[in-house]
Amino acid sequence: MVRRVAVIGAGVGGLASIKCCLDEGLEPTCFERSEDIGGLWRYTDSRDGGRISVYRSVITNTSKEMSCFSDFPCPEDFPSFLPHGLLLEYFRMYSRHFDLLRHIRFRTTALSVRKRADFATSGQWEVVTETNGIRESHIFDAVMVCTGHFQEPYLPLAFFPGIDTRFKGQYLHSQEYKDAEAFRGKRVLVVGIGNTGGDLSVELSRVAAKVFLSARSNTWVVSRVSDHGFPFDMVNTTRFNHFLDWFLPSAITKRIRFRKFNSWFNHANYGLASTKSSNFKIIVNEELPFCLLSGTVVLKPKVRKFTESSAVFEDGTTEENIDVVLFATGYSFSFAFLEESVRSLFDDNRSLYKRIFPPQLEKPTLAIIGLVQLTGSVMVGAEMQARWVTGIFAGWNKLPPTSKMMADVLKKKPPVKRNPSERENLKLSFISYTDEIASCAGIKPSVLRLLLTDPRLALAIFFGPCTPYQYRLVGRGKWSGARDAILTQWQRTLKPLRTRVVDDSSDGSDGWCWMCLLALPVALTAGFLLSRHPWPGWSPWAG
C-alpha cells in the first residue's frame, strides 16, 4: 500500500501532484531546489544556477478558463491571458487555498532516486536530497517526477557549420534571454520559429537594427483573439469540433483548417506555410505578421553555414554583419537523478504508458508528470495525470498487465524524428489525451447521459469550450461547483473587459437558445456514435 510519496519539483505539475496526493489520503513530500514555487513561470533576472525561467514579457498562450486547475477557477477579474506575474499569483492562491506549502521542502535538490533492494516486492524508492550542503536519505513508497520537459537547453551547434569555429559574433540559447535591451542597435538572427522564436523576433524588432528569423518548417500563425474577440482556444477547443475532426475525412478537415488559418492572412505570401504542406506546426503570435509586413522582421530559410560575420542560407542568400545569433531551438529532457536502470526503460515520453508510467517496472510506483506537450494547456494535462496516478497509488485504479501496456506503447509510438528538440514528438490532441486519462480515472463526463438529465449542461459541454471543470462533474474528486463554473465561464472571460460599458441593445440569448435546440439532434447522434466507436488519440493540429 502506497502511503509516503516523493514529489520532485514545485512547478505546476508538482503543486497539482501534492494536492491530488492529499485528496487521496497520501502523505506527499515535495523537494524543490529553488526558494519558491512556480517552476519556469517564476521569472527572475538571474541567469545563474542553471534554473530555467520565462522571459520578462511572456504572456500565456492558453486562456485562463482553459488553463486553470479543475476545481479552482482563476479570479474573474484576471485577464484571459496572463502575464507570468499574475499566473504565479494564481499558483500562490491555489497553494494557500489547499494548504500545499507545508508539504514543500525548498532549497532542496533531489540528487538520486534509486530502487530499494526489495523493490520487486515493496516498490519502494530511496531518495537522496541535499539542503544547504547537508545530504539526507529518505524512503518513499512512490515517486512523482514533476520537472517537466523544459530541463536542458538544446543547442544543436553541429547542424550549423562555422557557428563555433568561424563566427566572430555572439551566439546564445533563448534560455539566456531576459529582455531586449542588450540587443539594441544590433543585427540579430533568430533560429527557430516556435512560439519562443516568434515572440523574441517581435520583441527584438523594437530595438534591434534588423531581425532575421530562420524557419525550416511550415508554420501557421494564429492569434489569441478569435471570432468576435473571444480567446482562440475557447472558440476552437470544443467537443463538437473534435467530433468533426474524427467524423470527417482528414483531407476535408485539413482543407477547413488551412482555409481558416488563411482567412487572417495568406501564409504562402509571407513564406510561412503552404496548403500543400503535410507537416507543419502552429504558433500563437498576433504581431509577427505585421512585423513581416513592415520589414522589421525578415523571414529566412534554414541556415546552411556561418562565416566570420554572416549567415548563409539554404536558398543561397547571405545576410552580412550578423552581431548575434539567438537559438530558439527548444529543450531536451533527462532525469539525471534517476538511476540508469530506470532511465534506460524510456528514451523519451513515447516509451511511457499513457506518457506517464515506465511499463517495464516491476511495481507502478514511479510516475512522470507533465512530460507531454498538448494542443491545449499542459497545466490541465498535468493535473489530469496526477489525479489518475494518485488514484492508482491509493488503490482505487489499476494498471493493466505489462504486456498490454507495452503493446499500447508500441501501437502509439510514431517514427523517431531526427531533431530531439522537436516537441511534435510530445504533442497530442488536448481533448483526446485528457479524455483518455479521464476515462482511466473514471472521471470523464458522459454527454449522452447529461443530455437526458441536464440538457443545458450537456450542450454547454459539447458545443462550448472544453474547460477543465468538465472533469469534476463525476467520479472521485467530484466538485459541487463544477456545473456552475461551466455555465458561467463566458461571464468570467468578459468580466475583466467591463472597465468601460457601452450601450449595446442587441441580445443574442434567443439566438443561443434556438441554436441549442437545433443542435440537440447533432449532440445525440455524436454521443451515440462515440459511445460505440471512440475516436483514436489523433491530434488535428499536429499535421
Side-chain angles (χ1 to χ4, degrees), residues 325-352:
V325 179
L326 182 57
F327 286 94
T329 45
Y331 294 82
S332 57
F333 47 87
S334 64
F335 304 97
F337 50 83
L338 289 178
E339 66 175 270
E340 176 58 31
S341 65
V342 175
R343 287 203 312 269
S344 64
L345 296 178
F346 57 100
D347 53 354
D348 57 33
N349 81 329
R350 300 169 302 167
S351 301
L352 299 170

Side-chain angles (χ1 to χ4, degrees), residues 4-124:
R4 301 184 67 235
V5 181
V7 178
I8 300 177
V12 60
L15 296 177
S17 295
I18 298 169
K19 196 260 184 185
C20 292
C21 282
L22 295 174
D23 287 347
E24 294 293 352
L26 306 176
E27 300 171 8
T29 301
C30 177
F31 301 108
E32 169 55 45
R33 66 177 182 173
S34 73
E35 68 277 8
D36 205 351
I37 64 170
L40 74 104
W41 284 102
R42 183 171 63 83
Y43 171 80
T44 60
D45 289 315
S46 173
R47 295 176 174 84
D48 300 328
R51 181 180 172 274
I52 294 172
S53 77
V54 294
Y55 38 96
R56 189 191 304 274
S57 62
V58 78
I59 295 175
T60 59
N61 283 336
T62 53
S63 64
K64 67 176 183 180
E65 293 296 318
M66 300 293 289
S67 304
C68 62
F69 295 107
S70 58
D71 56 354
F72 194 75
C74 274
E76 64 175 9
D77 59 337
F78 275 28
S80 284
F81 294 97
L82 305 179
H84 58 78
L86 275 182
L87 184 60
L88 183 59
E89 177 56 28
Y90 171 67
F91 292 159
R92 296 194 196 286
M93 295 167 63
Y94 180 76
S95 300
R96 289 193 296 266
H97 183 79
F98 292 108
D99 195 19
L100 306 182
L101 296 180
R102 65 189 179 92
H103 300 279
I104 304 175
R105 292 184 56 179
F106 292 108
R107 295 187 178 90
T108 301
T109 301
L111 297 178
S112 69
V113 176
R114 307 182 65 84
K115 294 189 290 186
R116 297 196 73 196
D118 63 348
F119 181 83
T121 54
S122 71
Q124 291 184 326

Side-chain angles (χ1 to χ4, degrees), residues 245-297:
D245 287 326
W246 169 80
F247 184 73
L248 297 174
S250 60
I252 294 178
T253 58
K254 272 191 176 183
R255 186 167 182 175
I256 293 172
R257 254 189 337 268
F258 292 160
R259 186 169 182 175
K260 177 71 172 177
F261 295 155
N262 274 332
S263 67
W264 184 21
F265 68 95
N266 189 308
H267 285 63
N269 288 345
Y270 286 64
L272 285 163
S274 166
T275 55
K276 296 179 180 179
S277 59
S278 56
N279 295 311
F280 59 88
K281 67 171 68 171
I282 297 172
I283 67 171
V284 179
N285 199 304
E286 295 78 32
E287 298 179 75
L288 182 59
F290 176 72
C291 288
L292 294 172
L293 197 61
S294 64
T296 54
V297 175

